[in-house]
């Protein structure tokens, strides 16, 4: 016998997926993520974090304009991790 998700079950699944996606988006947008996952970025991250640019997130400069460029850069960063 196959179990079926009720409408409430689907809503809960959708809410959980959305929450995970939002959390992943938040965490991977932070410059600390770039510095922690890319070992080759260690010196660059240290330099950035003590510079006058430390209030600017990495993706503010290191992504193409628009949301497509933003998410393309994030996917590339995660792929390199």
């Amino acid at each position: 016998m196959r179990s079926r998700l009720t409408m409430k079950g689907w809503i809960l699944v959708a809410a959980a997926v959305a929450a995970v996606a939002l959390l992943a988006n938040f965490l991977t947008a932070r410059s600390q993520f770039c510095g922690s996952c890319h070992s080759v970025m260690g010196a660059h991250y240290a330099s950035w974090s003590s510079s006058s640019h430390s209030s600017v997130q990495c993706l503010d400069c290191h992504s193409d304009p628009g949301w497509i460029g933003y998410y393309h850069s994030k996917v590339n960063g995660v792929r390199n991790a």
Side-chain angles (χ1 to χ4, degrees):
M1 183 174 185
R2 288 174 59 177
S3 70
R4 294 185 180 190
L5 283 177
T6 63
M7 181 61 87
K8 185 177 179 179
W10 281 112
I11 290 171
L12 289 174
V13 168
V17 168
V20 168
L22 288 172
L23 179 62
N25 181 56
F26 171 75
L27 292 175
T28 60
R30 299 173 49 204
S31 295
Q32 291 82 355
F33 175 78
C34 300
S36 68
C37 290
H38 300 299
S39 60
V40 297
M41 296 302 291
H44 300 293
Y45 178 77
S47 174
W48 165 84
S49 64
S50 63
S51 77
S52 61
H53 297 147
S54 63
S55 62
V56 179
Q57 298 298 313
C58 294
L59 286 175
D60 289 346
C61 296
H62 295 280
S63 66
D64 290 334
W67 67 271
I68 292 174
Y70 177 76
Y71 284 103
H72 184 266
S73 295
K74 290 177 85 164
V75 168
N76 282 339
V78 170
R79 188 176 17 190
N80 290 328

